[in-house]
């Protein structure tokens, strides 16, 4: 079978799997992209659900994370807990040293507060470039995105073609999950989670760019809280 007809067949299957349960979407992805599919984990609640599901399906499933160097200590603590509980070998993607040093030298260590361009530059060097490096060797990546998380995610599908990353497949098994489903799964399966979630941090990124939310605020209100909602993506999931 040619690579084009194989891709077409996968796209057809992807359309059929849109209504499948999360575990079945994961099984499909692990089967179709064996060894060339990985979970991109930022150790948020959704990523921990997917970690638990993945390791139960295949203990050798691949999980990579973007270690920006500015993550909260609680996230690093959760990495250790995840390794202890699931015996996984996490794959770390770190920023390019030269680019990082140049950025800090020119903009200062807290440049992200100075303007949208500076914030985007920091996200590019600490997240987007390392993500592109990770994805360059994969046929598919798995993400914990959900439709109800933000205005930028309402049209999310469980399986998408990721044109922004060379046309590889992007798998979103929890696309139609609610926040309650995520937490019900975590409690029912004794899944470890970030201690910041118990301090009103529903969405957790880098330490300097994440704050707790107040009652009634949108779940992503604490991410880059000084920016307007339509700008609140770091570029990892843009089309
Ligand atoms: S979230 Fe903040 S600290 Fe992290 S990469 Fe983006 S701008 Fe930099």
């Amino acid at each position: 079978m040619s690579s084009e007809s194989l891709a077409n067949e996968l796209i057809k299957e992807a359309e059929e799997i849109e209504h499948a349960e999360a575990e079945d979407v994961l099984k499909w992805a692990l089967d179709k992209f064996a060894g060339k599919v990985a979970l991109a984990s930022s150790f948020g609640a959704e990523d921990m659900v997917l970690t638990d599901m993945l390791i139960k399906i295949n203990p050798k499933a691949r999980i990579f994370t973007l270690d920006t160097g500015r993550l909260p200590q609680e996230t690093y603590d959760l990495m250790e807990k995840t390794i202890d509980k699931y015996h996984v070998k996490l794959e770390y993607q770190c920023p390019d040293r030269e680019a990082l040093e140049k950025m800090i030298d020119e903009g200062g260590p807290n440049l992200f507060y100075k303007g949208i361009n500076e914030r985007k530059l920091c996200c590019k060097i600490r997240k987007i470039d390392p993500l592109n490096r990770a994805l360059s060797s994969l046929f598919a990546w798995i993400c914990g995105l959900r439709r109800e998380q933000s205005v930028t995610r309402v049209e999310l599908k469980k399986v998408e073609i990721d044109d922004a990353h060379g046309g590889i497949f992007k798998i979103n098994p929890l696309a139609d999950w609610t926040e309650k489903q995520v937490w019900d799964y975590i409690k029912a399966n004794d899944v470890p989670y970030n201690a910041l979630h118990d301090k009103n941090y529903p969405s957790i990124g880098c330490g300097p760019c994440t704050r707790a939310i107040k009652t009634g605020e949108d779940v992503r209100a604490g991410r880059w809280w000084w920016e307007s909602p339509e700008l609140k993506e770091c570029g990892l999931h843009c089309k």
Side-chain angles (χ1 to χ4, degrees):
M1 188 183 288
S2 71
S3 57
E4 190 182 346
S5 57
L6 179 61
N8 286 338
E9 188 178 307
L10 287 172
I11 289 168
K12 195 159 169 276
E13 286 183 28
E15 286 167 8
E16 289 165 7
I17 214 165
E18 186 59 32
H19 301 291
E21 297 294 327
E23 283 97 337
D24 292 329
V25 176
L26 286 174
K27 281 179 193 162
W28 177 82
L30 289 177
D31 178 48
K32 296 294 171 186
F33 308 108
K36 290 286 189 181
V37 56
L39 168 66
S41 176
S42 62
F43 297 87
E46 291 81 3
D47 296 331
M48 295 312 299
V49 168
L50 290 173
T51 296
D52 190 82
M53 287 180 179
L54 265 180
I55 298 302
K56 284 174 179 166
I57 297 168
N58 181 351
K60 298 226 178 300
R62 293 177 61 187
I63 301 172
F64 75 87
T65 190
L66 307 178
D67 184 355
T68 65
R70 298 298 298 256
L71 299 176
Q73 182 57 38
E74 289 85 347
T75 302
Y76 292 111
D77 293 343
L78 181 56
M79 286 185 199
E80 296 280 8
K81 277 190 198 169
T82 303
I83 293 166
D84 288 347
K85 180 174 171 78
Y86 297 105
H87 309 290
V88 286
K89 177 96 181 75
L90 297 175
E91 300 173 27
Y92 303 93
Q93 294 289 346
C94 299
D96 174 78
R97 187 187 134 194
E98 267 184 41
L100 189 63
E101 287 180 354
K102 182 171 183 291
M103 177 185 77
I104 295 171
D105 191 46
E106 293 174 357
N110 286 336
L111 77 161
F112 28 80
Y113 296 137
K114 294 179 181 170
I116 186 71
N117 291 337
E118 288 85 350
R119 199 276 285 169
K120 286 193 168 175
L121 176 65
C122 186
C123 280
K124 178 182 182 303
I125 288 173
R126 292 184 188 272
K127 292 182 173 181
I128 297 171
D129 291 349
L131 175 72
N132 289 341
R133 198 190 312 137
L135 297 187
S136 65
S137 63
L138 294 178
F139 294 156
W141 59 311
I142 302 165
C143 306
L145 302 180
R146 292 186 295 110
R147 290 178 195 132
E148 67 170 25
Q149 279 171 325
S150 80
V151 292
T152 58
R153 295 179 183 176
V154 289
E155 295 188 359
L156 192 71
K157 288 190 172 165
K158 289 188 186 171
V159 181
E160 299 181 324
I161 301 292
D162 188 352
D163 290 322
H165 296 106
I168 67 171
F169 282 79
K170 187 173 182 183
I171 319 291
N172 307 302
L174 306 183
D176 56 354
W177 277 38
T178 62
E179 187 183 0
K180 181 176 183 308
Q181 281 178 283
V182 171
W183 285 101
D184 285 349
Y185 184 97
I186 285 174
K187 283 174 197 152
N189 293 277
D190 196 24
V191 175
Y193 62 88
N194 198 313
L196 287 174
H197 286 310
D198 288 334
K199 298 177 182 173
N200 286 333
Y201 286 75
S203 176
I204 302 166
C206 290
C209 300
T210 309
R211 67 156 169 76
I213 65 166
K214 300 182 192 100
T215 308
E217 276 190 317
D218 182 84
V219 291
R220 280 175 67 81
R223 303 290 298 277
W224 308 289
W225 65 90
W226 61 93
E227 293 177 1
S228 58
E230 65 275 15
L231 298 174
K232 286 191 184 197
E233 290 286 357
C234 54
L236 297 182
H237 301 292
C238 292
K239 298 203 173 188

